[in-house]
Amino acid sequence: MTGNNKDRVVIIGGGIAGLSAGIYALKAGFDAVIYEKNSIPGGECIGWNRKGFHIDNCIHWLTGTKKGTDLYEVWKTTGAISDGTEYADIDSFYTSSLNGQKATLWNDLKKTEEELIGISPEDEEEIKKFIQYTEYAKQCLIPASKPMEMWGIGDYISMGKDMADFPKVMKEFGKISLDEYSRRFYSPLLRKLICDYLPKEYCVYSLMVSYATMADGNGKIPMGASLQMSLRMEKRFKELGGKIFYNTGVEKIVLEKKKAIGIKLENGEFVNADFAIPTLDTYPLFKKLLPEKYMPKALATAYGDQKTYPAISGFQLAFTVRDSFETEHTQLFDIEPLKVGSGTYDRMYIKSYGYDPLFVHDGRVVIQTSIIQSDDDFKFWKNLSPEEYAKEKEKLIGEVAKRVVTNFPELEGDLEFLDCWTPLTYERYCNAYHGSYMCFTTTPESKTIRLKGKLKGIDNIYLAGQWTMPPGGLPIAVVSGKFAIQRILKGQKRDINI
Ligand SMILES: Cc1cc2nc3c(=O)[nH]c(=O)nc-3n(C[C@H](O)[C@H](O)[C@H](O)COP(=O)(O)OP(=O)(O)OC[C@H]3O[C@@H](n4cnc5c(N)ncnc54)[C@H](O)[C@@H]3O)c2cc1C
């Protein structure tokens, strides 16, 4: 209890999950305080400035931008978006190119179908099926009103009605990797299109759900980019009376018998808590902040089997180019094979940020690229000395720039480097397991790990954060914060409608 007789909810981490938990805690009448190790809010949902340009690190699409969905209401409640939010005017997911030919996944599914059949008439049947199942996948909405263990029969019936066709997607595409699926297509370009965007170990339904989200107008990019969205949530939290402490890492959750009595900060201070909500990555949580014996079994299994439960990160670079440079907003292309980390990569993408004036000034626009990095790549970076690490990055900046110019010869002499970052950056900044900024990849062999939100053997710790439910990402982070508060309310036999 605090001086005002309210129960105190102590939240570890000021990312999207932590801010959401804080906002819902205050709405439920608790006292809420957030401890964040960094100097700004947002965790992985941020951006930063270099040489006068803004670099965005997160939102490629924000699931939940469609009015009328439960998730939209959660984003609105947390102040992330409002009915008046402006979104980027983007009409496609991405474009793959090969030997001078291009194929695009347009937001308009009919347009995509026609274009792909035009490219490869012999794939017509498979293309039509891909489009049909993507249409079904539009029904896949993230449950955001309450945690599933609180669902009643009515909730299941209504989900059954709303998502009647989605089981077909899971049945057909729930256990097949993108790599294997791509081989059903004759066209080499369409094979690339299927494997280009998400890691090719991902299950096909992940691509369909992502594409469907965009095609349904439910995955737009708010203007102003990621950091601004996090700052809007921080503002909402503070307006409701919340306190957030920056540059304040948490060292331990202090347990007494079956309860967390508070947290010990890295500066040595103790803060008492009635409830603790850790939102940081589950790996450091159970390796450092809590005794490892509390790690749920499913998680321990996943961390021990990286082949079945891979973690994905990226080697990313940002450049500027003159703003008359014309390209699809995200385009993937072949490159001369390049070793990045321990693996060798032969495809790359360029995303142009010209859709938002935030990224354009003095006649120049930001472009970015990311090369997917695996657990093994993470280990490669981790084993380098600081000098080797700097040298490796320097070498790759030149190699990547060379490949961009090979694909876009008009950029010769025009590419200006802004910044580059690696899986280690995410580990350093957010304590992210293997630098991963999503939950475990959903492979055909992996099981869905859905954490219950409470820990066996401890009464008052409620988990939140993107690692609590696959596939991770912003929507899971934001609903997990809300769910943690609803679980506390349920334990107190109070109304969970907040
Ligand atoms: C390049 C990139 C692109 C992405 N694109 C998308 C996208 O398009 N759509 C999408 O939905 N998602 C996307 N994501 C994923 C999304 O950013 C994350 O899923 C989400 O931000 C995770 O939020 P979180 O609050 O669960 O975790 P985090 O953001 O990791 O927040 C945890 C917080 O805890 C803090 N912390 C850690 N340890 C401690 C400690 N000991 N003491 C105090 N504080 C601590 C961290 O600093 C951090 O601020 C992307 C991520 C990246 C990096």
Side-chain angles (χ1 to χ4, degrees):
M1 290 270 184
T2 51
N4 53 18
N5 281 339
K6 289 181 177 178
D7 280 336
R8 175 189 270 174
V9 178
V10 170
I11 298 156
I12 306 169
I16 299 302
L19 291 166
S20 165
I23 290 163
Y24 279 101
L26 294 164
K27 276 176 65 65
F30 295 111
D31 201 44
V33 57
I34 299 177
Y35 291 89
E36 165 56 53
K37 74 188 251 310
N38 293 321
S39 58
I40 53 168
E44 287 166 357
C45 186
I46 56 155
W48 58 91
N49 297 330
R50 286 286 180 277
K51 301 179 188 169
F53 287 91
H54 190 68
I55 297 173
D56 190 20
N57 189 50
C58 183
I59 307 175
H60 293 74
W61 70 90
L62 180 71
T63 302
T65 51
K66 189 173 175 180
K67 286 183 185 165
T69 61
D70 288 342
L71 188 53
Y72 181 83
E73 286 308 313
V74 174
W75 285 124
K76 235 176 87 171
T77 302
T78 57
I81 56 176
S82 67
D83 288 344
T85 296
E86 282 184 46
Y87 298 99
D89 183 15
I90 295 172
D91 61 358
S92 66
F93 185 3
Y94 62 91
T95 299
S96 291
S97 65
L98 186 70
N99 303 326
Q101 206 182 14
K102 288 180 184 174
T104 297
L105 294 183
W106 300 101
N107 291 351
D108 177 344
L109 292 180
K110 197 76 208 145
K111 184 172 169 184
T112 304
E113 183 175 295
E114 282 165 15
E115 180 176 299
L116 301 191
I117 293 174
I119 290 167
S120 181
E122 54 191 340
D123 283 317
E124 178 168 348
E125 202 180 316
E126 206 55 61
I127 292 165
K128 284 192 162 157
K129 191 168 176 186
F130 175 72
I131 296 295
Q132 180 63 67
Y133 278 69
T134 303
E135 189 65 49
Y136 294 154
K138 284 183 183 174
Q139 296 174 354
C140 175
L141 297 178
I142 290 171
S145 67
K146 57 189 168 195
M148 283 184 90
E149 75 268 13
M150 296 179 200
W151 282 28
I153 186 88
D155 298 306
Y156 282 101
I157 291 171
S158 120
M159 182 181 78
K161 269 196 215 142
D162 295 346
M163 292 175 63
D165 292 317
F166 188 62
K168 295 179 195 163
V169 180
M170 293 310 286
K171 186 161 179 253
E172 191 84 11
F173 296 110
K175 286 284 169 197
I176 171 170
S177 71
L178 289 166
D179 193 25
E180 190 185 339
Y181 173 59
S182 70
R183 284 183 239 130
R184 292 188 190 172
F185 293 84
Y186 294 102
S187 155
L189 173 58
L190 298 197
R191 288 183 176 192
K192 295 282 183 202
L193 182 74
I194 296 298
C195 289
D196 256 349
Y197 197 82
L198 298 178
K200 59 184 190 309
E201 303 82 17
Y202 264 55
C203 292
V204 177
Y205 81 89
S206 307
L207 177 68
M208 286 175 170
V209 171
S210 306
Y211 181 27
T213 303
M214 251 156 283
D216 201 27
N218 193 25
K220 298 179 186 167
I221 304 179
M223 298 293 271
S226 306
L227 176 61
Q228 286 307 316
M229 189 176 92
S230 296
L231 289 171
R232 287 194 294 275
M233 291 176 68
E234 183 215 38
K235 185 164 174 265
R236 174 66 51 92
F237 175 66
K238 285 181 171 171
E239 278 168 358
L240 290 170
K243 282 206 184 86
I244 182 160
F245 293 91
Y246 291 114
N247 301 309
T248 311
V250 176
E251 193 181 297
K252 278 226 169 311
I253 300 180
V254 183
L255 302 176
E256 219 176 76
K257 295 187 185 146
K258 286 174 70 185
K259 275 192 84 170
I261 54 162
I263 55 171
K264 185 178 169 210
L265 305 179
E266 281 168 3
N267 64 17
E269 275 176 40
F270 173 81
V271 179
N272 73 302
D274 296 297
F275 298 97
I277 303 184
T279 71
L280 72 163
D281 199 304
T282 43
Y283 194 76
L285 172 65
F286 293 107
K287 289 283 179 184
K288 195 170 163 240
L289 272 65
L290 280 172
E292 199 169 345
K293 66 176 181 184
Y294 292 110
M295 183 187 282
K297 236 179 175 169
L299 260 188
T301 306
Y303 288 127
D305 181 2
Q306 289 166 20
K307 195 168 171 299
T308 310
Y309 297 90
I312 296 297
S313 188
F315 173 70
Q316 290 168 259
L317 302 97
F319 300 90
T320 65
V321 296
R322 63 179 181 277
D323 66 2
S324 55
F325 170 60
E326 278 188 20
T327 177
E328 287 76 14
H329 100 97
T330 299
Q331 193 193 140
L332 295 108
F333 48 88
D334 264 352
I335 52 169
E336 183 193 330
L338 178 63
K339 188 168 171 292
V340 185
S342 68
T344 299
Y345 297 84
D346 61 6
R347 296 282 287 175
M348 201 179 105
Y349 81 77
I350 282 296
K351 176 175 173 186
S352 169
Y353 283 74
Y355 58 79
D356 188 333
L358 177 70
F359 304 100
V360 188
H361 82 87
D362 281 349
R364 299 190 68 76
V365 59
V366 176
I367 63 167
Q368 288 189 36
T369 184
S370 174
I371 292 164
I372 285 170
Q373 296 282 272
S374 65
D375 296 288
D376 285 343
D377 295 326
F378 170 82
K379 283 171 210 152
F380 168 90
W381 289 106
K382 192 79 182 163
N383 286 333
L384 299 179
S385 67
E387 296 73 29
E388 289 167 335
Y389 179 73
K391 223 166 122 190
E392 188 66 17
K393 282 206 307 185
E394 202 56 43
K395 184 183 88 188
L396 286 174
I397 294 164
E399 292 297 330
V400 168
K402 210 165 81 187
R403 283 159 179 80
V404 173
V405 172
T406 303
N407 197 64
F408 301 101
E410 67 272 32
L411 292 180
E412 179 78 57
D414 188 37
L415 210 54
E416 274 189 23
F417 172 72
L418 286 181
D419 202 2
C420 88
W421 56 108
T422 76
L424 294 199
T425 314
Y426 294 107
E427 190 196 42
R428 173 181 58 75
Y429 189 73
C430 281
N431 283 333
Y433 165 71
H434 288 186
S436 178
Y437 44 76
M438 295 292 283
C439 192
F440 298 111
T441 300
T442 48
T443 63
E445 296 77 28
S446 63
K447 288 196 184 121
T448 301
I449 300 175
R450 202 172 270 123
L451 302 182
K452 290 203 177 87
K454 272 203 82 176
L455 292 178
K456 230 180 172 174
I458 310 180
D459 282 345
N460 58 344
I461 295 183
Y462 291 81
L463 300 182
Q466 64 152 335
W467 289 86
T468 55
M469 274 183 285
L474 296 165
I476 299 299
V478 79
V479 299
S480 72
K482 175 184 176 186
F483 287 178
I485 300 304
Q486 287 176 309
R487 286 175 171 131
I488 295 177
L489 291 172
K490 180 88 179 165
Q492 295 184 326
K493 300 194 174 26
R494 288 173 56 196
D495 184 4
I496 61 150
N497 293 310
I498 34 174

